[in-house]
Amino acid sequence: MEGEGKVHFIRNVPDGAVTFSPKDRYLFCTGGCDGRVHLYSARSASILQRYALTNPGFSRNTSAVKFTCDGRKILATISSRLAAIDVETGTQVQCYDDCSWSNAKTGLAIDPFCWYSAVCVKVNGKGLTMIDLRMRLPVLVTPDLHISTVTDVVFLTNSWPWAHSEKTLLTASDDGHSKVVTFDGKPLVDVTAGSTLTSIAATPGPFDAMADFGFSSVVMFGGPEVLGYIPDVGIQESLREHGSAAVSSVRYNSSGSTLYTACSKGVVRRYRRYPHNHVYLGEVYRHHSKITDMAISCYDEFLVTSSERTFGIMKLGSPNHGVTEYCELT
């Protein structure tokens, strides 16, 4: 079984948002301050292609990037515009003006089971814009959901307890609240964290799929501390190993067994998930400055982080799927 590798830093690159393809083991995409999206291979730690984004404004900052669930398109926000780009040709196939929040980093989510459904933070930063990529205009712009900026948004499957018959979204905001919202913009639940929220990571898979083994599905929020929330129970856990540094990104691996956090002091940390808590395993590696985004490849082989004009790439181990598949017995 192949072990963990050393971190490799790619320097002097436009840093910003980062995301892995859900279909390609090694392909990841980044956006930065140069008005382009960049495709890299994690295996060779090299750039493959650059695609320019058309932008009517002066801002060139690409504040969010995501692959659609079929891996064929990249969605990117630049200024207040959301653009869809064909991965193979680099052609901009769809564009939505005045629909997204213009900031250094913003929330953008892709439906993991439907290639044409996406959600971004709306222009004033306090609500959501629902996108159907088959249509030329946004499906819906919600009323304001928060009194401050929405910092992150994720899709939840209909197995989560709030709306069994439809897909739901979970937001995080600077106002210290997280809200469960239906795809038609109806708020269902308001979770009060009491501090700024910056990032969301929900345990993968169906809700409480591992309940027979004592594992509850949980949502982890990044902020001044990492908070663990269990539906119908509340905030149950607080992780504070990062000290005074704010946590900018939280991510689970594909099985939900390991949690990774990245903070404003440039440190990536790792936790092991147990039935009732997360146990700190230690630092993974460090950047010299704040980490702005983090992503894990679809087979848990690679971890990528974005910092000031630098990307960190680390091989976590063998893939958890395919001809070299392995698993852990705990």
Side-chain angles (χ1 to χ4, degrees):
M1 184 176 71
E2 191 172 359
E4 188 170 274
K6 294 182 178 179
V7 61
H8 177 81
F9 292 106
I10 302 177
R11 306 189 188 278
N12 299 316
V13 292
D15 63 287
V18 59
T19 186
F20 268 97
S21 168
K23 297 298 182 180
D24 190 295
R25 287 172 56 180
Y26 309 118
L27 184 67
F28 71 94
C29 173
T30 70
C33 57
D34 64 346
R36 296 185 291 184
V37 293
H38 306 254
L39 293 177
Y40 288 87
S41 167
R43 186 179 188 180
S44 61
S46 60
I47 190 164
L48 303 176
Q49 191 59 269
R50 296 182 177 93
Y51 297 144
L53 298 171
T54 59
N55 177 26
F58 293 102
S59 173
R60 302 183 68 192
N61 181 62
T62 307
S63 52
V65 290
K66 295 288 183 182
F67 284 90
T68 54
C69 65
D70 60 3
R72 295 182 178 182
K73 295 180 180 64
I74 299 168
L75 299 191
T77 58
I78 180 170
S79 187
S80 59
R81 169 178 285 188
L82 176 70
I85 302 167
D86 185 273
V87 172
E88 292 187 0
T89 66
T91 306
Q92 190 165 293
V93 294
Q94 190 63 284
C95 184
Y96 302 90
D97 289 325
D98 299 322
C99 72
S100 68
W101 172 236
S102 179
N103 199 9
K105 181 182 177 183
T106 189
L108 175 62
I110 303 297
D111 190 325
F113 303 105
C114 182
W115 69 268
Y116 54 80
S117 292
V119 175
C120 62
V121 179
K122 74 175 187 177
V123 174
N124 73 350
K126 299 178 181 179
L128 301 175
T129 302
M130 313 301 186
I131 301 292
D132 185 328
L133 293 175
R134 300 170 300 176
M135 300 182 180
R136 298 181 63 86
L137 295 174
V139 175
L140 174 72
V141 179
T142 70
D144 289 355
L145 300 172
H146 295 270
I147 61 174
S148 189
T149 304
V150 177
T151 54
D152 201 5
V153 58
V154 297
F155 274 89
L156 298 175
T157 65
N158 57 12
S159 64
W160 287 73
W162 299 296
H164 291 295
S165 61
E166 57 185 318
K167 67 184 71 173
T168 52
L169 301 158
L170 187 63
T171 65
S173 173
D174 283 341
D175 61 14
H177 289 257
S178 173
K179 294 190 177 182
V180 180
V181 185
T182 62
F183 199 71
D184 59 4
K186 180 183 177 181
L188 299 177
V189 178
D190 186 347
V191 179
T192 303
S195 59
T196 298
L197 301 178
T198 59
S199 183
I200 306 170
T203 46
F207 180 77
D208 275 356
M210 298 290 290
D212 291 343
F213 300 94
F215 288 86
S216 298
S217 292
V218 62
V219 177
M220 303 302 290
F221 295 106
E225 55 189 327
V226 180
L227 301 174
Y229 171 78
I230 298 177
D232 300 325
V233 177
I235 302 293
Q236 293 296 297
E237 189 176 10
S238 175
L239 308 177
R240 303 185 179 185
E241 282 74 16
H242 54 278
S244 61
V247 172
S248 54
S249 187
V250 288
R251 296 285 183 268
Y252 274 112
N253 65 354
S254 62
S255 67
S257 63
T258 306
L259 177 73
Y260 293 87
T261 67
C263 73
S264 59
K265 290 187 177 179
V267 182
V268 179
R269 292 180 171 87
R270 178 163 39 202
Y271 296 82
R272 182 73 173 183
R273 177 175 164 235
Y274 286 94
H276 302 294
N277 66 323
H278 291 73
V279 175
Y280 179 53
L281 300 180
E283 293 185 11
V284 182
Y285 61 85
R286 286 176 174 252
H287 284 269
H288 291 301
S289 56
K290 176 183 177 179
I291 295 174
T292 55
D293 205 2
M294 175 171 61
I296 301 172
S297 63
C298 57
Y299 293 163
D300 297 336
E301 283 182 274
F302 293 94
L303 173 71
V304 172
T305 50
S306 171
S307 186
E308 184 176 345
R309 298 194 63 79
T310 304
F311 288 108
I313 304 174
M314 182 172 176
K315 186 169 180 60
L316 298 176
S318 298
N320 62 5
H321 182 74
V323 294
T324 53
E325 176 181 349
Y326 79 100
C327 63
E328 293 179 336
L329 300 177
T330 59

